[in-house]
Amino acid sequence: MTDVSRFARTVYFVAEWVASKIGHIIANGPNEARFARQLAGPEKVHECYNAIDIDRCMLKSRQRMAGPLRVVTCGRITAAKYPEAFVRLAVRLSGALPDLTYVWIGGGEPGATKELLDLVRQHSMQEKFHITGWLSQDSAWEQLAQADVVVHYSRWDVLPTSVLESMALERPVVGSTTVDQIIHGDTGFIARDEDQLYYFVRQLLEDAELRARFGSRARQITEERYALSRLIGELETVYGYPRS
């Protein structure tokens, strides 16, 4: 959490270390599990990865409407989601592919939203860049279903549900190294820096067949690994909840 002071991070660490000595830790993703084991040791860490209601999500899926290709990101406007990198990507892509549109699904605190809008205006991207603000879950899914490529280039994350939702909707995702559920070269791409982010997103935008293949595979992986029924079963086991 680089958006808080070193003192605050130290307080968080101490609090989590003390708590880890009292009970167990449920980790939502591989990266979180790795850090948790440093606190509590492997015997106290349970990996119960995030999941989504895939069938309900797919009810909102519909055929991509005609229009310019859309590069979409979804999440709170916050430092963790690295909004500056998304704007820089949009500016760079616009130089090579001028007909694209860019959508940020979500909202944030007024200050963070203003900073993002100021950056968009600074680069004269107002005509191509749209921020939806806060949406209901169903409306957000409808927006995601209209994406051609989803970007999740976050500074830090656990296992973001918006990426799972994009995968369930058969959309390829390009993410940073913090995004655990992307399988590089199979369901999307993992970018180690902004040059790779640009290269991979452009590759997908220029290859409809690759987008379709990644999207289909992403849907399959989501059904196999991230179904809500799987998570419920794992949590029941961890908590010793008796099944009827």
Side-chain angles (χ1 to χ4, degrees):
M1 295 177 61
T2 56
D3 60 337
V4 299
S5 68
R6 183 182 297 273
F7 174 76
R9 294 199 300 272
T10 301
V11 171
Y12 282 130
F13 179 86
V14 172
E16 290 170 352
W17 181 83
V18 171
S20 72
K21 305 307 174 185
I22 300 170
H24 290 233
I25 297 175
I26 292 178
N28 288 334
N31 276 329
E32 188 170 80
R34 187 175 68 254
F35 284 112
R37 291 189 187 100
Q38 297 173 16
L39 287 173
E43 69 283 351
K44 283 194 168 188
V45 177
H46 307 275
E47 297 186 38
C48 299
Y49 296 167
N50 280 344
I52 61 170
D53 188 340
I54 297 171
D55 292 335
R56 181 166 173 258
C57 181
M58 285 301 295
L59 289 175
K60 294 299 176 182
S61 178
R62 62 187 184 207
Q63 186 175 1
R64 170 74 166 82
M65 293 185 295
L69 292 177
R70 291 160 61 103
V71 181
V72 172
T73 191
C74 181
R76 290 183 302 121
I77 301 173
T78 183
K81 305 302 180 186
Y82 210 170
E84 312 96 287
F86 187 64
V87 175
R88 287 194 291 266
L89 171 67
V91 172
R92 193 170 176 184
L93 284 170
S94 293
L97 303 169
D99 294 330
L100 301 177
T101 59
Y102 308 89
V103 181
W104 188 297
I105 303 171
E109 295 297 326
T113 303
K114 181 180 181 302
E115 288 179 7
L116 177 55
L117 287 170
D118 287 346
L119 192 58
V120 170
R121 283 191 288 267
Q122 178 183 328
H123 291 283
S124 302
M125 294 288 291
Q126 302 96 309
E127 298 297 321
K128 299 180 179 182
F129 201 105
H130 177 59
I131 301 173
T132 68
W134 296 113
L135 298 176
S136 68
Q137 187 176 61
D138 286 352
S139 295
W141 285 343
E142 289 173 353
Q143 287 281 344
L144 275 176
Q146 295 305 308
D148 293 286
V149 178
V150 176
V151 172
H152 198 92
Y153 193 72
S154 53
R155 285 185 170 101
W156 64 88
D157 235 318
V158 180
L159 202 153
T161 55
S162 62
V163 172
L164 295 180
E165 291 161 349
S166 302
M167 292 170 63
L169 292 165
E170 300 188 20
R171 296 301 182 261
V173 183
V174 181
S176 64
T177 55
T178 67
V179 184
D180 289 314
Q181 63 267 59
I182 297 172
I183 302 175
H184 183 74
D186 188 20
T187 67
F189 290 117
I190 296 173
R192 298 187 177 278
D193 54 41
E194 291 188 44
D195 285 338
Q196 286 192 351
L197 178 66
Y198 168 78
Y199 173 79
F200 290 139
V201 173
R202 182 171 177 179
Q203 183 179 350
L204 284 165
L205 289 168
E206 294 179 333
D207 191 338
E209 183 180 343
L210 182 63
R211 294 199 304 271
R213 186 169 77 247
F214 278 11
S216 177
R217 179 67 174 147
R219 162 75 177 181
Q220 178 186 350
I221 291 296
T222 307
E223 290 179 327
E224 292 173 357
R225 302 183 186 180
Y226 301 108
L228 188 59
S229 58
R230 183 269 310 162
L231 175 60
I232 292 171
E234 290 175 351
L235 290 173
E236 287 177 338
T237 299
V238 170
Y239 284 95
Y241 187 83
R243 287 178 175 245
S244 56

